[in-house]
Amino acid sequence: MSTLLIKHARIVTMDNHQREIPDGGLFVRDGFIEQVSPTGELPTSADEVLDLHNHIVLPGLVNTHHHFYQTLTRAVPAAQDANLFNWLKTLYPIWARLTPNDIFISTQTALSELAHSGCTTASDHLYLFPNGSKLDDEIAGALEIGLRIQASRGSMSLGESQGGLPPDSVVDTEESILKDSQRLIQKYHDAKPGAFVQIVLAPCSPFSVTGELMKQSASLAREYGVHLHTHLAETEDEEQFCLQRFGHRPVGYMQEVDWIGEDVWFAHAVWVNQDEIKLFAKHKCGVAHCPTSNMRLASGIAPIKQYRAAGVNVGLGVDGSASNDGSHLLAEVRQAMLLARVKEGITGYSLSNDPDRKLMTAREALWLGTRGGAAVLGRTDIGSLEKGKCADFFAIDLNRLDYAGAQHDPVSAVVFCQPQRVDYTVVGGKFVV
Ligand SMILES: [Zn+2]
């Protein structure tokens, strides 16, 4: 039994009432929150006590899409100014030389960056396993850092010789992919509240695996109750690829391979129409919105306001570090708010007399980064500061140059002002930063 008391902080709960407590705190027992309230109502002692006077405390951010291994290939000159398909073709041969130790080191690099930006749970999508590397190398790196991880067993089976995009050197046979997926679920997947490791099955994209592998992966995932993830409708090129190869738009193809449901979330989902947005809402498919990556690769702007209005779960992702080129999740919250406003602007916001048409607020962007992300990953134990939830949070000292003049609204300051490195990050009651 161990207890932790946080007091005199500005608490942002992100509960259903979006309750904020100006002088509040948390009482934590064995990694879970036992009480969230004004400081005066909290117990007065604990094994560890931290006075966070002049700090803001928010629920840990949830990253819904990343490729940790890419932290070793940032700003590669030949890929700096390429669109998605050319960017991939430039990088695949470099990634084909990754080793198990590279997977371990890049995992720790990405998770350290994420932790410094307030992230406490991260999903990662590892879809190539060159030179004997395994998802186990990533999980080992993550367990040392101490963030929660949704480790996606990605896959690519459709090499160039089969009409796919990746070179044959980075694809695997479908039989070995499914066998390894089952091994990983049995070895690591923890379905209990407070889990530190969960496994996800994640064929890379429609243009790198066959429809048969998509179907088999869905069936295996549902047998064990694990979630499914893939890239979808990221670029207009992909839409053309799917129409030519499968005779469907990307979302239609997902319906055909049984990839529609509340256990599925898609990265990007930029190129969708109104009917597809309604379909996601009806079947509770989640979306991992990666605004920086979408800007970096000139992919387009995802219709986040329309998703939200339709009731689709949306979380945020920094995406791989070869297309961001960083893992600052609080910065991604800011990008999401700003890019949603750009979209409003180019679709005629300034000409609109509609009083209901509102810009995305800082609190809404924070909601996407916390509650939205938790919902997308199918987790009810994280995303807010409430009794019974995991003690996952971060704190920022408000007394800094970057927030000068913004002290009247510290919650908005952390989104509107220059994104900061956090002062504390706590996961399951333990200090990671
Ligand atoms: Zn990605």
Side-chain angles (χ1 to χ4, degrees):
M1 298 279 271
S2 73
T3 53
L4 167 68
L5 173 66
I6 302 293
K7 58 182 187 177
H8 297 306
R10 177 177 285 267
I11 302 282
V12 181
T13 64
M14 285 289 158
D15 66 10
N16 288 341
H17 307 290
Q18 300 239 42
R19 189 165 64 118
E20 295 173 11
I21 312 169
D23 177 1
L26 306 167
F27 188 77
V28 174
R29 189 186 302 276
D30 294 335
F32 291 89
I33 297 170
E34 202 167 273
Q35 193 177 337
V36 185
S37 51
T39 300
E41 297 170 18
L42 288 164
T44 51
S45 66
D47 298 330
E48 199 167 2
V49 180
L50 190 64
D51 186 327
L52 285 182
H53 175 76
N54 218 25
H55 286 66
I56 186 166
V57 170
L58 292 121
L61 300 174
V62 179
N63 187 48
T64 60
H65 187 65
H66 206 320
H67 310 286
F68 296 161
Y69 74 88
Q70 293 178 8
T71 54
L72 304 182
T73 54
R74 293 192 241 229
V76 170
Q80 282 175 17
D81 308 315
N83 68 1
L84 177 68
F85 280 19
N86 291 324
W87 174 89
L88 282 168
K89 282 183 175 169
T90 303
L91 290 165
Y92 281 140
I94 302 174
W95 295 338
R97 296 173 64 190
L98 288 167
T99 65
N101 193 48
D102 293 333
I103 300 297
F104 182 89
I105 295 288
S106 58
T107 295
Q108 297 210 325
T109 306
L111 287 173
S112 301
E113 280 187 274
L114 284 167
H116 279 99
S117 73
C119 175
T120 53
T121 298
S123 165
D124 186 63
H125 190 179
L126 181 59
Y127 53 79
L128 37 80
F129 301 90
N131 308 306
S133 20
K134 291 191 165 70
L135 195 63
D136 308 63
D137 304 316
E138 171 176 312
I139 293 168
L143 287 171
E144 274 188 14
I145 297 287
L147 261 62
R148 299 183 203 280
I149 184 173
Q150 309 284 117
S152 298
R153 204 303 177 185
S155 51
M156 297 201 292
S157 64
L158 203 60
E160 262 172 338
S161 63
Q162 308 290 315
L165 195 72
D168 290 358
S169 61
V170 291
V171 306
D172 291 307
T173 66
E174 305 203 335
E175 190 189 355
S176 66
I177 290 165
L178 291 165
K179 200 171 156 202
D180 193 48
S181 299
Q182 186 171 29
R183 174 188 72 82
L184 289 160
I185 296 170
Q186 289 174 342
K187 184 168 180 187
Y188 294 108
H189 185 70
D190 180 0
K192 294 189 294 294
F196 271 81
V197 181
Q198 294 196 333
I199 300 294
V200 174
L201 298 191
C204 186
S205 63
F207 49 85
S208 53
V209 301
T210 65
E212 190 51 32
L213 184 66
M214 295 296 290
K215 283 184 193 164
Q216 297 270 354
S217 298
S219 140
L220 182 62
R222 285 167 185 148
E223 190 182 322
Y224 286 94
V226 307
H227 280 231
L228 290 159
H229 180 50
T230 193
H231 294 96
L232 196 77
E234 180 172 357
T235 64
E236 205 169 12
D237 288 353
E238 180 189 324
E239 192 174 296
Q240 292 310 314
F241 178 96
C242 288
L243 282 168
Q244 279 165 22
R245 188 173 175 101
F246 309 118
H248 291 290
R249 291 168 51 81
V251 176
Y253 177 53
M254 289 299 106
Q255 287 180 285
E256 189 172 278
V257 293
D258 204 15
W259 267 64
I260 295 291
E262 62 183 338
D263 53 357
V264 181
W265 89 98
F266 299 116
H268 307 299
V270 172
W271 293 85
V272 293
N273 61 31
Q274 284 304 321
D275 289 340
E276 291 163 345
I277 292 173
K278 281 186 205 148
L279 185 86
F280 284 0
K282 183 177 172 201
H283 296 281
K284 298 189 166 64
C285 297
V287 170
H289 176 43
C290 308
T292 301
S293 174
N294 295 159
M295 288 189 268
R296 161 74 152 81
L297 295 171
S299 302
I301 308 177
I304 301 307
K305 292 291 279 186
Q306 289 92 321
Y307 278 138
R308 300 263 300 146
V312 176
N313 285 327
V314 178
L316 300 181
V318 297
D319 202 0
S321 292
S323 67
N324 185 313
D325 299 32
S327 306
H328 200 302
L329 192 49
L330 185 57
E332 211 64 31
V333 170
R334 183 174 192 252
Q335 296 280 55
M337 179 183 79
L338 297 178
L339 190 58
R341 293 175 177 213
V342 171
K343 191 163 180 73
E344 291 291 292
I346 58 181
T347 52
Y349 176 79
S350 60
L351 302 174
S352 167
N353 290 319
D354 180 358
D356 293 330
R357 192 165 173 181
K358 300 225 167 55
L359 295 178
M360 185 182 286
T361 66
R363 284 170 173 80
E364 189 178 357
L366 282 167
W367 181 274
L368 297 181
T370 53
R371 294 292 296 276
V376 163
L377 299 185
R379 293 194 66 151
T380 54
D381 57 339
I382 57 173
S384 59
L385 301 179
E386 295 178 78
K387 186 179 176 183
K389 295 235 180 174
C390 295
D392 294 4
F393 55 90
F394 67 98
I396 302 180
D397 186 351
L398 294 166
N399 186 20
R400 63 213 304 156
L401 178 64
D402 313 81
Y403 297 154
Q407 300 289 335
H408 46 271
D409 188 358
V411 184
S412 292
V414 302
V415 181
F416 274 91
C417 300
Q418 188 61 30
Q420 299 296 300
R421 280 200 161 191
V422 307
D423 295 286
Y424 301 96
T425 297
V426 174
V427 185
K430 293 205 166 61
F431 287 84
V432 175
V433 174

